[in-house]
Amino acid sequence: MDQGLTDALAYGSGYLGQGKVADYIPALAGAPADHLGICVLTRDGEFHCRGHWDQMFTMQSISKALLLIYALLELGHEKVFSRVGVEPTGDSFNSIVKLETKGHHPLNPFINAGAIATMGLILEEGRTFVQFMEFLEGLARRPLTIDETVYRSEKETGDLNRSLAYFMKSDQVIQGDVEATLDAYFRMCSILVNTRDLARFGMILANDGQDPLTGEPILSAYYATLVKTLMVTCGMYDSSGEFAIKVGMPAKSGVGGGILALVQGKAGLGVYSPALDEKGNSLCGIKTLEYLSQALDLHYFKGNQ
Ligand code: GLN
């Protein structure tokens, strides 16, 4: 593991300088494009970390996977999936197209429209952003904070997300207050984590919903399977197919440069490098995972897992 990780980081570092930091959210534009870090939590509770693994960054879309877990636990899958589907879109994460052409409900909870709709449902059902944050702190086993600058920056410039939300309100996919829903969504995207936190979230899913440290059940194996399957089909937006072939791990990325990934039954992984490819995924992060997957035989359809 340790040599593989060192080699993977060296391989991923070879791609630093390629890709582009997200600047459509102005406050993200200053992220350190030359940073790359990774952390792996194995089932025995050991963390293996390299590079800029402890750099804090905003979760962005990675939070959508955690919001889905929270929504499933609080409201149950029938209610959640009455508002949002389970199909990949093949479109970019912030596309509005299929909201009109494929019916009014967002196709899955990992595109912006789907996560905004899920947040809307959470608030309609009387839950609050603070409760979601507390849930997340329980998973992370530490207090979490929001990057207020990124939050305000996205709130000021998030007109596309605002359009998605009002479009869905007009179709009753969002039934509560649109601005309150967006506010909670922007806050959620601005929660600060490092790769170690992501590795922990990943290991909980890899461990079929049980806390790897205490054995405490956090979510059912059924819900863990459901979330992991959606991570496979939709977690890397419109490059989920290519990522599945090359890396073969359930994963969820965010435009902050983080990727949460996992190896079933074995490990949770967090990787961070803020320069993105043209699909909005961490370029060096993917390269690092690609190397690691091949070097250690971690693809879900390889080896005898
Ligand atoms: N906050 C970002 C947005 O809404 C999240 C997108 C992402 O990480 N892909 O655009």
Side-chain angles (χ1 to χ4, degrees):
M1 158 68 74
D2 285 324
Q3 188 58 47
L5 213 50
T6 303
D7 294 346
L9 199 81
Y11 178 80
S13 300
Y15 292 85
L16 288 169
Q18 300 187 27
K20 203 170 159 298
V21 170
D23 56 6
Y24 76 98
I25 300 171
L28 289 181
D34 57 343
H35 280 199
L36 171 62
I38 186 165
C39 191
V40 180
L41 171 58
T42 44
R43 204 195 181 121
D44 55 10
E46 290 288 315
F47 284 96
H48 308 257
C49 304
R50 295 283 186 284
H52 298 98
W53 67 269
D54 61 348
Q55 169 77 44
M56 301 300 288
F57 53 91
T58 55
M59 270 212 280
Q60 301 299 335
S61 281
I62 298 169
S63 62
K64 294 168 179 170
L66 297 147
L67 180 70
L68 176 62
I69 293 173
Y70 180 70
L72 289 169
L73 288 174
E74 288 294 317
L75 311 177
H77 62 282
E78 278 183 29
K79 191 159 259 173
V80 173
F81 293 116
S82 69
R83 237 10 116 79
V84 49
V86 293
E87 301 301 336
T89 65
D91 296 322
S92 60
F93 61 84
N94 52 10
S95 175
I96 200 165
V97 174
K98 291 206 168 88
L99 276 184
E100 195 169 25
T101 59
K102 286 272 187 179
H104 306 304
H105 290 67
L107 280 178
N108 70 68
F110 292 166
I111 50 172
N112 287 12
I116 294 168
T118 307
M119 184 59 89
L121 183 63
I122 295 266
L123 301 186
E124 269 169 51
E125 294 291 330
R127 276 42 168 211
T128 63
F129 173 74
V130 171
Q131 287 171 328
F132 168 66
M133 186 90 169
E134 283 167 0
F135 168 71
L136 219 56
E137 290 178 327
L139 296 190
R141 291 180 157 263
R142 69 181 189 89
L144 296 172
T145 55
I146 282 174
D147 185 323
E148 292 289 336
T149 310
V150 172
Y151 156 68
R152 276 197 301 275
S153 178
E154 187 169 4
K155 193 171 164 122
E156 276 161 23
T157 59
D159 293 323
L160 185 46
N161 284 326
R162 206 159 269 118
S163 308
L164 292 169
Y166 278 102
F167 194 94
M168 290 190 286
K169 171 86 177 183
S170 74
D171 285 325
Q172 281 88 52
V173 178
I174 293 178
Q175 293 169 15
D177 185 82
V178 174
E179 289 302 329
T181 301
L182 284 165
D183 188 73
Y185 171 81
F186 295 142
R187 282 180 194 277
M188 171 182 91
C189 290
S190 304
I191 296 170
L192 285 161
V193 290
N194 62 25
T195 61
R196 193 180 152 108
D197 297 314
L198 298 186
R200 206 182 124 71
F201 300 150
M203 189 62 225
I204 292 169
L205 287 168
N207 203 29
D208 291 330
Q210 284 187 13
D211 188 310
L213 284 182
T214 61
E216 175 205 347
I218 295 171
L219 66 160
S220 67
Y222 173 67
Y223 281 164
T225 300
L226 197 159
V227 174
K228 284 181 278 195
T229 308
L230 280 170
M231 288 167 74
V232 170
T233 55
C234 311
M236 302 297 284
Y237 320 125
D238 43 339
S239 58
S240 296
E242 192 179 337
F243 185 86
I245 292 168
K246 289 187 174 161
V247 180
M249 295 180 197
K252 183 74 207 82
S253 63
V255 293
I259 303 176
L260 181 169
L262 64 100
V263 182
Q264 176 60 21
K266 288 189 175 161
L269 294 89
V271 58
Y272 167 70
S273 186
L276 308 178
D277 63 18
E278 69 285 356
K279 299 286 175 69
N281 295 315
S282 170
L283 194 147
C284 294
I286 290 184
K287 292 291 179 195
T288 305
L289 289 175
E290 206 177 305
Y291 186 96
L292 199 64
S293 174
Q294 282 174 23
L296 302 184
D297 246 3
L298 300 177
H299 192 291
Y300 40 52
F301 294 132
K302 263 167 65 184
N304 47 3
Q305 295 179 40

